[in-house]
Amino acid sequence: MLVTPEYNRGVSAPLKNALDYLYAEWAYKPVGFVSYGMTSAGLRAAEMIKPVLTALRMVPVPDGVSIRLRQRLDAQGILAPDEVMAEAADDVLAELHLLAATLRPLRLRRAHTLDAVAS
Ligand SMILES: Cc1cc2nc3c(=O)[nH]c(=O)nc-3n(C[C@H](O)[C@H](O)[C@H](O)COP(=O)(O)O)c2cc1C
């Protein structure tokens, strides 16, 4: 699960940097998002990064947890989760669980290939 804010309608530089830096380790991992932003719930950032994820051979799940901070922060600035967020989290985790098992053979094959290249 990746957690991302949205800045200027786009993805944050630290997330892109983390994806680029690790590179091979991401292959065949399923990925879901918890996205947040003041107005857009971070949805534009989560959508924007998807071509990068697929280039890294990650498998994004279609749904995610999206948090519109303007509505969900209380007077102290503390996040006040609601049932919709909890249900969305359950759905994403269930989907990730399913895909993680399905993609496992591909991750193992990839790890063996990388080991062989390194040795
Ligand atoms: C320069 C700037 C640009 C922002 N742009 C957006 C935006 O395009 N969409 C949005 O929903 N929130 C936007 N926000 C609000 C941030 O998403 C919000 O402050 C969030 O808490 C930032 O996450 P962080 O504190 O974990 O870095 C922006 C905030 C700043 C300071």
Side-chain angles (χ1 to χ4, degrees):
M1 192 86 100
L2 295 177
V3 180
T4 185
E6 177 173 301
Y7 280 97
N8 295 326
R9 301 194 174 192
V11 75
S12 70
L15 176 59
K16 178 67 167 60
N17 186 52
L19 290 165
D20 293 343
Y21 183 74
L22 288 178
Y23 189 67
E25 282 87 342
W26 298 111
Y28 302 118
K29 290 191 176 171
V31 54
F33 276 99
V34 175
S35 66
Y36 60 96
M38 201 51 80
T39 54
S40 77
L43 285 167
R44 292 175 294 210
E47 286 303 313
M48 181 183 277
I49 199 72
K50 282 186 182 169
V52 175
L53 303 178
T54 52
L56 295 170
R57 296 190 169 78
M58 298 180 86
V59 180
V61 304
D63 303 318
V65 181
S66 40
I67 305 169
R68 197 165 181 230
L69 295 177
R70 186 156 296 184
Q71 292 172 334
R72 295 263 52 98
L73 294 182
D74 69 15
Q76 282 75 44
I78 308 283
L79 182 69
D82 64 0
E83 249 176 55
V84 175
M85 284 167 57
E87 280 171 22
D90 283 346
D91 290 347
V92 177
L93 289 171
E95 190 89 350
L96 288 175
H97 185 66
L98 187 71
L99 278 173
T102 308
L103 294 169
R104 191 160 190 271
L106 293 176
R107 286 198 301 279
L108 287 175
R109 199 174 71 183
R110 175 94 171 166
H112 288 314
T113 311
L114 291 175
D115 282 349
V117 170
S119 60

